[in-house]
Amino acid sequence: MKGHTPERYEAVAAFLDFVAQPETQVWWHGATGYVPATNRAYAVARERGYYKDHPTREIAVLQLSRGTPNENSRGFRFGNFVQTMLAQRQEVEAVFAGQKQPQQAMDDAVKRGNEILRQFEKLNAGKTPETERP
């Protein structure tokens, strides 16, 4: 992040501020199904009755935030995130290149993503932060 103009840093700060706003997070949560990134956004979604209309969307938030946070559990983790994002990008690029129809690319992205997650599960079955410490 070094070596950019002050204007560029200001633009990045403005973007990150926008993304962190509860309104933006609530919209993103509703539009994508991803969990909200902040507790305030989760509270706003609850206050608005979002989970009454979409009860299954709250399950992930509750599961991911249960228990007492510690140094190994702060924040949400997504196993093999980089590989999954690469698969999604490749599928979208296939659409732009005219090699696939959008629905087929999205279906293939889901299939590939699920395969990557299953691989992660197999490699990490039974492992917890406590069992991984030296």
Side-chain angles (χ1 to χ4, degrees):
M1 301 255 326
K2 293 181 181 179
H4 296 283
T5 65
E7 294 81 15
R8 172 91 32 127
Y9 290 121
E10 288 174 23
V12 169
F15 175 73
L16 292 175
D17 182 60
F18 168 75
V19 169
Q21 294 298 313
E23 289 298 318
T24 306
Q25 285 295 310
V26 170
W27 172 84
W28 180 253
H29 176 46
T32 66
Y34 284 104
V35 296
T38 64
N39 290 333
R40 180 67 190 130
Y42 170 61
V44 169
R46 282 190 58 121
E47 291 164 9
R48 292 183 181 169
Y50 179 74
Y51 302 112
K52 287 182 182 171
D53 295 333
H54 305 90
T56 59
R57 294 281 177 100
E58 190 173 26
I59 293 169
V61 177
L62 296 174
Q63 287 180 336
L64 290 168
S65 60
R66 71 178 178 229
T68 304
N70 61 48
E71 65 184 52
N72 294 313
S73 68
R74 284 187 176 86
F76 301 142
R77 293 182 170 89
F78 179 176
N80 292 353
F81 175 78
V82 173
Q83 295 91 328
T84 303
M85 292 306 296
L86 176 61
Q88 290 178 15
R89 181 178 176 176
Q90 289 170 336
E91 294 299 333
V92 169
E93 287 176 357
V95 172
F96 292 146
Q99 298 168 341
K100 289 187 178 184
Q101 292 297 310
Q103 187 61 57
Q104 184 61 53
M106 292 300 96
D107 291 346
D108 291 347
V110 168
K111 181 180 176 189
R112 291 175 65 187
N114 286 337
E115 289 170 357
I116 292 166
L117 287 172
R118 297 300 80 79
Q119 290 170 355
F120 179 82
E121 287 173 345
K122 286 177 186 174
L123 291 173
N124 294 283
K127 294 181 183 178
T128 66
E130 291 76 27
T131 63
E132 289 300 297
R133 289 189 176 181

